[in-house]
Amino acid sequence: RAQWRASLDPGDAHSFVCGSTSAAPGEAMCWSFEVTLAAASLETLFVLALGLRGFRNDHANVALVLPFVLQEWLQVLLWAHIGTSSIDCDAVNKRTSAA
């Protein structure tokens, strides 16, 4: 179970570490391809439900939420094409990052 540990040092670049309370910065990663895919899928279902429901402000809310859903799907694509280091990216990752 992941827990968040906040550093009281405002100068700490790694003020939030995901993982155990004793994890060192960069040691544990809570976000991943699978988590991003699940979030994007749930957001898409939410947008579809709003669009199909058709209450008074549903279509306006879909228009407001849709850019965030599209951004989440771009993140899924980025996670699928992540390199082994911070400077190792394939062409798909570079084009998606530019978008």
Side-chain angles (χ1 to χ4, degrees), residues 2-71:
Q3 296 176 347
W4 288 97
R5 176 179 52 90
S7 170
L8 297 178
D9 180 11
D12 186 4
H14 304 286
S15 58
F16 293 99
V17 176
C18 187
S20 69
T21 55
S22 62
E27 185 177 297
M29 187 84 135
C30 285
W31 216 249
S32 65
F33 172 78
E34 295 80 12
V35 173
T36 308
L37 180 62
S41 298
L42 290 173
E43 290 169 5
T44 301
L45 289 174
F46 170 75
V47 166
L48 288 173
L50 274 181
L52 293 173
R53 187 173 74 168
F55 283 7
R56 181 175 173 210
N57 293 321
D58 284 351
H59 290 111
N61 285 330
V62 166
L64 291 172
V65 174
L66 194 57
F68 297 105
V69 175
L70 294 175
Q71 178 185 358

